[in-house]
Short mmCIF file of all heavy atoms in Angstrom, two decimals:
data_model
loop_
_atom_site.label_atom_id
_atom_site.label_comp_id
_atom_site.label_asym_id
_atom_site.label_seq_id
_atom_site.Cartn_x
_atom_site.Cartn_y
_atom_site.Cartn_z
N GLN I 12 138.36 91.48 32.77
CA GLN I 12 139.82 91.59 32.44
C GLN I 12 140.14 90.64 31.23
O GLN I 12 140.81 91.06 30.30
CB GLN I 12 140.64 91.20 33.65
CG GLN I 12 142.12 91.47 33.49
CD GLN I 12 143.00 90.75 34.46
OE1 GLN I 12 142.54 89.85 35.17
NE2 GLN I 12 144.26 91.09 34.52
N LEU I 78 136.00 86.87 41.84
CA LEU I 78 137.37 86.42 42.12
C LEU I 78 137.63 86.20 43.60
O LEU I 78 136.79 86.50 44.43
CB LEU I 78 138.36 87.40 41.51
CG LEU I 78 138.43 87.48 39.99
CD1 LEU I 78 139.56 88.40 39.57
CD2 LEU I 78 138.62 86.11 39.38
N SER I 79 138.86 85.71 43.91
CA SER I 79 139.17 85.19 45.23
C SER I 79 138.96 86.17 46.42
O SER I 79 138.35 85.83 47.40
CB SER I 79 140.60 84.65 45.26
OG SER I 79 141.50 85.71 44.96
N GLY I 80 139.47 87.40 46.27
CA GLY I 80 139.41 88.33 47.37
C GLY I 80 137.95 88.72 47.66
O GLY I 80 137.49 88.67 48.83
N SER I 116 139.14 77.98 34.69
CA SER I 116 139.43 77.63 36.06
C SER I 116 140.65 78.42 36.51
O SER I 116 141.02 79.39 35.84
CB SER I 116 139.60 76.13 36.23
OG SER I 116 139.73 75.81 37.57
N SER I 117 141.30 78.00 37.58
CA SER I 117 142.30 78.83 38.18
C SER I 117 143.27 78.01 39.05
O SER I 117 142.95 76.94 39.51
CB SER I 117 141.61 79.89 39.06
OG SER I 117 142.46 80.41 40.06
N ILE I 118 144.45 78.60 39.31
CA ILE I 118 145.40 78.01 40.27
C ILE I 118 144.77 77.96 41.65
O ILE I 118 145.29 77.27 42.52
CB ILE I 118 146.69 78.79 40.37
CG1 ILE I 118 146.40 80.30 40.64
CG2 ILE I 118 147.54 78.64 39.12
CD1 ILE I 118 147.58 81.09 41.13
N ALA I 119 143.63 78.62 41.82
CA ALA I 119 142.94 78.62 43.12
C ALA I 119 142.32 77.22 43.44
O ALA I 119 141.89 77.02 44.57
CB ALA I 119 141.85 79.65 43.13
N TYR I 142 136.32 80.86 46.27
CA TYR I 142 136.59 80.93 44.83
C TYR I 142 137.20 79.63 44.37
O TYR I 142 136.77 79.04 43.36
CB TYR I 142 137.55 82.09 44.61
CG TYR I 142 138.01 82.25 43.18
CD1 TYR I 142 137.15 82.61 42.16
CD2 TYR I 142 139.37 82.07 42.85
CE1 TYR I 142 137.60 82.79 40.86
CE2 TYR I 142 139.79 82.25 41.55
CZ TYR I 142 138.94 82.59 40.54
OH TYR I 142 139.35 82.80 39.26
N TYR I 169 143.96 79.20 34.82
CA TYR I 169 144.83 80.38 34.62
C TYR I 169 145.64 80.69 35.86
O TYR I 169 145.11 80.68 36.97
CB TYR I 169 144.00 81.62 34.31
CG TYR I 169 143.30 81.68 32.96
CD1 TYR I 169 141.94 81.87 32.87
CD2 TYR I 169 144.06 81.62 31.78
CE1 TYR I 169 141.29 81.93 31.64
CE2 TYR I 169 143.43 81.66 30.54
CZ TYR I 169 142.08 81.83 30.46
OH TYR I 169 141.42 81.93 29.26
N PRO I 170 146.93 81.09 35.61
CA PRO I 170 147.69 81.72 36.72
C PRO I 170 147.12 83.14 36.90
O PRO I 170 146.18 83.52 36.24
CB PRO I 170 149.11 81.73 36.15
CG PRO I 170 149.09 81.03 34.82
CD PRO I 170 147.67 80.95 34.39
N GLY I 171 147.74 83.91 37.76
CA GLY I 171 147.36 85.31 37.87
C GLY I 171 147.58 86.02 36.57
O GLY I 171 148.64 85.90 35.95
N LEU I 172 146.56 86.75 36.10
CA LEU I 172 146.67 87.39 34.78
C LEU I 172 146.99 88.85 34.86
O LEU I 172 146.31 89.60 35.64
CB LEU I 172 145.35 87.14 33.97
CG LEU I 172 145.08 85.67 33.68
CD1 LEU I 172 143.73 85.53 32.94
CD2 LEU I 172 146.21 85.02 32.91
N GLY I 181 139.32 92.38 42.47
CA GLY I 181 139.00 91.49 43.57
C GLY I 181 139.87 90.25 43.66
O GLY I 181 139.59 89.33 44.47
N GLY I 182 140.91 90.14 42.87
CA GLY I 182 141.76 88.95 42.90
C GLY I 182 142.99 89.13 43.80
O GLY I 182 143.39 90.26 44.11
N THR I 183 143.56 88.00 44.22
CA THR I 183 144.77 88.02 45.06
C THR I 183 146.01 88.37 44.22
O THR I 183 146.94 88.99 44.71
CB THR I 183 144.94 86.65 45.72
OG1 THR I 183 143.74 86.42 46.52
CG2 THR I 183 146.15 86.56 46.61
N THR I 184 146.01 87.94 42.99
CA THR I 184 147.17 88.17 42.13
C THR I 184 147.11 89.62 41.51
O THR I 184 148.03 90.02 40.82
CB THR I 184 147.18 87.20 40.94
OG1 THR I 184 145.96 87.23 40.26
CG2 THR I 184 147.45 85.75 41.49
N ASP I 185 146.05 90.33 41.79
CA ASP I 185 145.88 91.69 41.19
C ASP I 185 146.97 92.69 41.63
O ASP I 185 147.10 93.74 41.00
CB ASP I 185 144.53 92.29 41.50
CG ASP I 185 143.39 91.50 40.83
OD1 ASP I 185 143.73 90.58 40.06
OD2 ASP I 185 142.22 91.81 41.11
N TRP I 278 148.29 78.84 47.68
CA TRP I 278 148.42 78.54 46.24
C TRP I 278 149.84 78.12 45.89
O TRP I 278 150.80 78.47 46.59
CB TRP I 278 148.01 79.76 45.42
CG TRP I 278 146.52 80.07 45.47
CD1 TRP I 278 145.55 79.28 46.03
CD2 TRP I 278 145.87 81.24 44.97
NE1 TRP I 278 144.31 79.88 45.91
CE2 TRP I 278 144.48 81.09 45.26
CE3 TRP I 278 146.27 82.38 44.33
CZ2 TRP I 278 143.56 82.04 44.91
CZ3 TRP I 278 145.32 83.31 43.97
CH2 TRP I 278 143.99 83.15 44.26
N1 LIG Q 401 143.66 85.84 39.65
C1 LIG Q 401 142.72 85.09 40.46
C2 LIG Q 401 142.55 85.67 41.81
O1 LIG Q 401 143.55 86.15 42.33
C3 LIG Q 401 143.11 83.66 40.53
O2 LIG Q 401 142.55 82.96 39.52
O3 LIG Q 401 141.50 85.57 42.35
#
Side-chain angles (χ1 to χ4, degrees):
Q12 190 198 11
L78 292 186
S79 60
S116 185
S117 159
I118 53 164
Y142 177 66
Y169 288 124
L172 296 178
T183 300
T184 56
D185 293 355
W278 289 351

